[in-house]
Amino acid sequence: MTAQGQSSGADVLRIEPSPRPGEQAPTLRLNEGLVERAELVDPRFDDQLFPFSTRGVWGMANRRGQVVVYPEWDWADYVYEGVHRVVLDEWTYLLRTSGSAFSVYRYGSIENEQEAVGFGYADRFSEGAIVVSAGDRFRLLDKAGRWLGEAEADLILRMSDGMAAAWKDGRAGYLDRSGAWRIEPRFAVARRFHDGLAAVRLPGDAPDAIGPWAFVDRRGEPRFVDHARRIDRLGDFHDGLARVRIGARWGYLDRTFELAIEAKYLDARPFAGGRAAVRDERGWFLIDRRGRADSADRVDDLFPLRDEARAALAERDGRFGWVGASQRWLVEPAYPWAYAEFRKLIRAGLESPVGDFLYVDITGRVVFDPRRLDAGLIDRRAGSVLQSRVTGKRLLPADIGRPTPRQPQIPPYPPEFLEDLQLPQPMLFRPDPVRRLLG
């Protein structure tokens, strides 16, 4: 299978056969002297780029409907800090813009710069760093492809507020932006930093004992400790409020670590844009920072959107739509599935055996319909196909057609709106490559 060509050189990338479980990660290798020129449509990099799926395979297109990354991946992500994630045969590769084309990310610990390594696990970039698995260990990598520090851990969470929670030898601590231990592993449980504070559980008096919940600052010093042991679960600060479970009920703490909203809900999610989703015996609904609800209506599930504070994904009777801050329907529940996505858009699923979807804004307007790209892939006059002049062995076909249909795969990484992680974090592993489950 052929991966992406570059417009700046006479090379093309080729994917070597994936190793059997337990073997070294596969590499994407540059084949020299075989292709005179191979490039995709030149995108304008002020454009939005949309991951799209056609016939069960993924690529990327610009807003003008031109294919920028030919569909040959099992999954493709949005761009974060100039880098896309793509997955093939359960291995994650990183693509980034380079001049007027994409290039496969090459990371600097490989002596031969003609190789780019696939990762069993790779989070998205945040604050200039990415968490990747290197063998059976996790490390931080920067955007230049260099390892950040020497620290390795059993698991690392995404960088936030300049710190990354990391689990090593049965305890959690925090790595800083240089990849060094800012706070040595000593906590029984650790969550990500938000607004300068992180929720942790302190170690107990005995070696394996777990102590009370606490908030610590960036030096690791406790700013609040639940000495009374009333708290069963503690969340992160968002909009100045943090979720807290006391017994079987959820409420919210303010920055003075007092209950700002009574612990009376069966479930609760973080605040976003002044609203939070909570659940009582009748279902899910929205409340404001004072705990007030604008509507008596209830839905089956509800996720306030972080990138678009005026809306929340809502599920009713197995169908998805979205509601506004007052919980009135902006888009009636008509889609079989929907994900909150990057750039304030929603990926709204269609009734399709190959996983077709639309990009829709909160008004219900279709911003981008990936289905139109399927025809464009075989219409060279549309200017939306891979252009190539091949010499020697044909790694890129001269006539590009529709990709071979595949069975669509479950996205290997959770949608952003489902992210709510802490260490120790349950992960579902197979022998490398990794099949992940975060949540």
Side-chain angles (χ1 to χ4, degrees):
M1 181 181 295
T2 304
Q4 169 144 349
Q6 293 181 299
S7 64
S8 57
D11 300 319
V12 67
L13 295 171
R14 178 163 59 90
I15 297 174
E16 295 293 316
S18 298
R20 287 185 288 273
E23 294 183 355
Q24 185 177 357
T27 59
L28 301 181
R29 299 181 185 276
L30 284 167
N31 290 270
E32 300 179 2
L34 297 179
V35 176
E36 178 184 347
R37 183 175 177 81
E39 64 183 355
L40 296 160
V41 168
D42 185 6
R44 299 173 184 171
F45 286 112
D46 57 351
D47 269 1
Q48 296 182 7
L49 294 180
F50 296 88
F52 71 92
S53 175
T54 179
R55 297 171 167 248
V57 290
W58 288 74
M60 279 177 270
N62 60 27
R63 185 156 39 179
R64 300 188 305 282
Q66 295 174 310
V67 175
V68 177
V69 174
Y70 184 75
E72 57 190 354
W73 307 95
D74 294 331
W75 180 77
D77 196 11
Y78 271 106
V79 62
Y80 289 94
E81 300 187 8
V83 180
H84 293 261
R85 289 182 295 181
V86 292
V87 173
L88 184 66
D89 297 334
E90 300 188 25
W91 294 93
T92 300
Y93 301 90
L94 304 176
L95 303 182
R96 63 179 177 182
T97 57
S98 176
S100 62
F102 275 89
S103 62
V104 176
Y105 200 87
R106 303 187 186 101
Y107 86 107
S109 65
I110 296 296
E111 293 181 4
N112 181 359
E113 294 184 357
Q114 300 300 307
E115 296 182 350
V117 172
F119 299 100
Y121 172 86
D123 194 17
R124 70 166 173 82
F125 267 92
S126 176
E127 301 183 9
I130 187 172
V131 178
V132 300
S133 64
D136 59 350
R137 308 293 283 173
F138 286 75
R139 295 185 69 180
L140 291 169
L141 195 68
D142 71 8
K143 291 173 70 174
R146 299 169 301 205
W147 293 120
L148 291 173
E150 299 295 329
E152 295 183 341
D154 300 316
L155 188 61
I156 304 175
L157 298 186
R158 182 181 305 162
M159 187 76 65
S160 175
D161 279 7
M163 308 274 271
W167 184 257
K168 185 176 181 180
D169 299 332
R171 291 296 182 188
Y174 292 87
L175 300 169
D176 63 17
R177 181 62 180 73
S178 71
W181 289 104
R182 172 71 67 87
I183 302 173
E184 291 291 330
R186 63 175 184 267
F187 302 117
V189 175
R191 295 180 63 86
R192 292 170 57 195
F193 268 89
H194 286 273
D195 297 339
L197 295 174
V200 302
R201 288 199 75 168
L202 302 176
D205 297 331
D208 296 328
I210 298 177
W213 279 99
F215 277 112
V216 297
D217 61 22
R218 292 171 57 83
R219 298 174 299 172
E221 298 296 326
R223 297 283 298 277
F224 161 79
V225 179
D226 177 33
H227 292 293
R229 298 288 189 104
R230 296 179 61 216
I231 295 175
D232 293 295
R233 182 76 183 261
L234 192 56
D236 312 317
F237 273 104
H238 293 275
D239 287 0
L241 295 171
R243 296 178 307 146
V244 60
R245 191 179 75 194
I246 299 174
R249 298 283 172 162
W250 288 86
Y252 294 86
L253 296 178
D254 62 20
R255 295 283 295 193
T256 68
F257 311 113
E258 298 291 337
L259 270 177
I261 300 176
E262 180 186 353
K264 60 182 179 180
Y265 306 109
L266 294 175
D267 205 347
R269 294 193 169 114
F271 268 84
R275 292 290 189 275
V278 295
R279 181 170 65 89
D280 63 12
E281 286 76 7
R282 295 171 50 221
W284 286 91
F285 61 103
L286 293 174
I287 60 172
D288 64 16
R289 291 172 50 83
R290 296 186 180 181
R292 300 174 301 190
D294 292 328
S295 172
D297 193 20
R298 299 292 188 269
V299 294
D300 299 332
D301 215 343
L302 194 58
F303 297 92
L305 307 187
R306 297 178 188 177
D307 285 336
E308 179 48 88
R310 296 173 295 163
L313 283 182
E315 180 186 3
R316 171 172 284 171
D317 299 329
R319 293 281 167 166
F320 287 84
W322 36 103
V323 298
S326 63
Q327 209 170 315
R328 293 181 180 178
W329 289 99
L330 300 174
V331 174
E332 292 288 333
Y335 296 103
W337 57 269
Y339 289 165
E341 290 291 350
F342 192 61
R343 293 193 174 105
K344 302 183 180 180
L345 295 176
I346 293 164
R347 185 178 287 173
L350 301 173
E351 300 286 359
S352 165
V354 292
D356 287 335
F357 57 84
L358 305 172
Y359 286 100
V360 184
D361 66 19
I362 64 168
T363 70
R365 179 177 67 95
V366 176
V367 176
F368 190 78
D369 184 350
R371 293 174 298 174
R372 66 180 180 169
L373 296 169
D374 189 54
L377 286 170
I378 60 170
D379 182 4
R380 295 185 65 85
R381 296 169 300 174
S384 60
V385 297
L386 189 72
Q387 308 291 328
S388 65
R389 297 196 304 273
V390 182
T391 60
K393 182 179 179 182
R394 290 195 171 189
L395 299 181
L396 290 175
D399 296 321
I400 300 298
R402 291 188 180 99
T404 302
R406 298 184 202 165
Q407 184 68 28
Q409 299 187 12
I410 297 173
Y413 295 98
E416 289 297 305
F417 70 94
L418 292 178
E419 183 204 9
D420 181 26
L421 307 181
Q422 68 183 37
L423 298 175
Q425 173 63 41
M427 297 188 74
L428 184 62
F429 279 94
R430 297 192 317 174
D432 266 349
V434 177
R435 186 181 297 276
R436 321 119 191 96
L437 178 63
L438 301 182

